[in-house]
Amino acid sequence: MTKTLTRPQAAEIYRRLHAADPEPETELHADNPFTLLVAVVLSAQATDAGVNKATPALFKAASTPAKMAALGEEKLGRYIKTIGLWRSKAKNIIALSKILVRDFGGKVPQTREELETLPGVGRKSANVVLNVCFGQPTIAVDTHIFRVGNRTGLAPGKTPLEVEEGLLAITPERYLRHAHHWLILHGRYICLARKPKCPACPINDICLYKEKTPAAAPVKKKAAKKKAKRLAMTPKLKTARPKKRARA
């Protein structure tokens, strides 16, 4: 049976994450709900840093659904060619822009059900938009949060939806607003996939992960001094200089 943290343990985890970063923010750059929606669609199977490099010029040219729809797939593609799967993403962004203009008065809807009707927008993307733009207590489970939820014992699950439901159930209400960002940033910078930084982890003592990365062994001062002394006493080899040729 998979072990799960208790509610008091979960509350302590969030208390520590809150103390370290009271107001966490998304690392995607956007000026309004629409540009954030576009950035989120572009970030699928791509890094936030990669998206942020491409979007400033794009958003300067098209920051509303109407302007984006007028831009068209071909011109949009020129701005986002450095991002993976850019052709399909360009198609989806133009399509969702037209739908926003036609069905939502050019505004980004504020319900998950409506957001998920847009091309390229799934449950995770909808949760990000709802949380960041409209302050709703949603948790978007990406690879980082999925890993943290399972490793720590905070919300073990076999699917992103199971982890999301587990997190919503165990997260204290006062921490729900920022839980998504605390967990994603923890997974991105501390609880790494290959070699988690357990020695630097603020919740190391609560986490149930068995294969924690050990702290680096401290260098003993005496051993270091002996090694330095031994090296100092080692005679240096002199390089033989070539003999000068006698003049004829």
Side-chain angles (χ1 to χ4, degrees):
M1 184 176 178
T2 305
K3 290 185 178 181
T4 305
L5 294 174
T6 64
R7 289 185 178 277
Q9 288 175 318
E12 177 59 17
I13 281 179
Y14 285 113
R15 187 195 69 77
R16 294 183 190 182
L17 296 177
H18 171 268
D21 187 4
E23 296 290 333
E25 297 180 349
T26 179
E27 294 187 324
L28 285 172
H29 298 166
D31 299 322
N32 56 53
F34 174 69
T35 54
L36 179 74
L37 174 62
V38 172
V40 170
V41 171
L42 291 173
S43 70
Q45 298 182 50
T47 64
D48 288 0
V51 172
N52 290 337
K53 289 180 181 178
T55 51
L58 170 62
F59 293 156
K60 187 176 181 180
S63 59
T64 67
K67 290 180 179 179
M68 189 68 74
L71 196 63
E73 284 183 44
E74 185 178 348
K75 290 183 179 178
L76 170 57
R78 297 173 189 171
Y79 289 101
I80 62 173
K81 278 189 176 181
T82 57
I83 299 173
L85 306 174
W86 64 272
R87 287 187 176 84
S88 61
K89 290 176 181 178
K91 183 178 181 180
N92 286 335
I93 290 170
I94 296 302
L96 72 82
S97 297
K98 291 179 179 178
I99 292 173
L100 290 177
V101 172
R102 185 189 68 207
D103 300 338
F104 297 98
K107 296 182 179 180
V108 175
Q110 298 186 34
T111 68
R112 183 188 294 117
E113 292 72 23
E114 290 175 315
L115 283 167
E116 287 188 45
T117 65
L118 302 174
V121 181
R123 185 182 183 89
K124 181 185 73 174
S125 298
N127 280 341
V128 173
V129 173
L130 293 174
N131 181 267
V132 176
C133 295
F134 306 116
Q136 296 187 27
T138 56
I139 298 178
V141 179
D142 66 350
T143 55
H144 298 299
I145 294 182
F146 186 80
R147 180 172 64 255
V148 171
N150 277 284
R151 271 187 181 170
T152 61
L154 193 58
K158 294 181 180 179
T159 66
L161 182 57
E162 284 184 8
V163 172
E164 178 187 337
E165 292 174 342
L167 289 171
L168 290 172
I170 201 170
T171 303
E173 186 176 355
R174 64 185 179 277
Y175 294 125
L176 274 174
R177 173 68 177 83
H178 294 305
H180 163 75
H181 285 112
W182 283 321
L183 296 176
I184 194 172
L185 293 173
H186 186 72
R188 185 173 291 169
Y189 297 109
I190 300 294
C191 194
L192 308 181
R194 294 185 180 181
K195 191 177 181 181
K197 299 178 180 179
C198 300
C201 177
I203 61 172
N204 189 320
D205 58 316
I206 303 175
C207 174
L208 298 180
Y209 187 50
K210 293 181 179 180
E211 302 175 13
K212 288 186 172 72
T213 304
V219 179
K220 295 182 179 180
K221 292 183 179 181
K222 289 184 178 180
K225 286 182 179 180
K226 286 182 179 180
K227 185 177 181 181
K229 187 176 181 180
R230 187 170 63 252
L231 291 173
M233 293 174 65
T234 303
K236 295 181 180 180
L237 296 176
K238 293 183 179 180
T239 305
R241 293 182 180 179
K243 295 182 180 179
K244 294 181 179 180
R245 293 183 180 180
R247 293 183 180 179

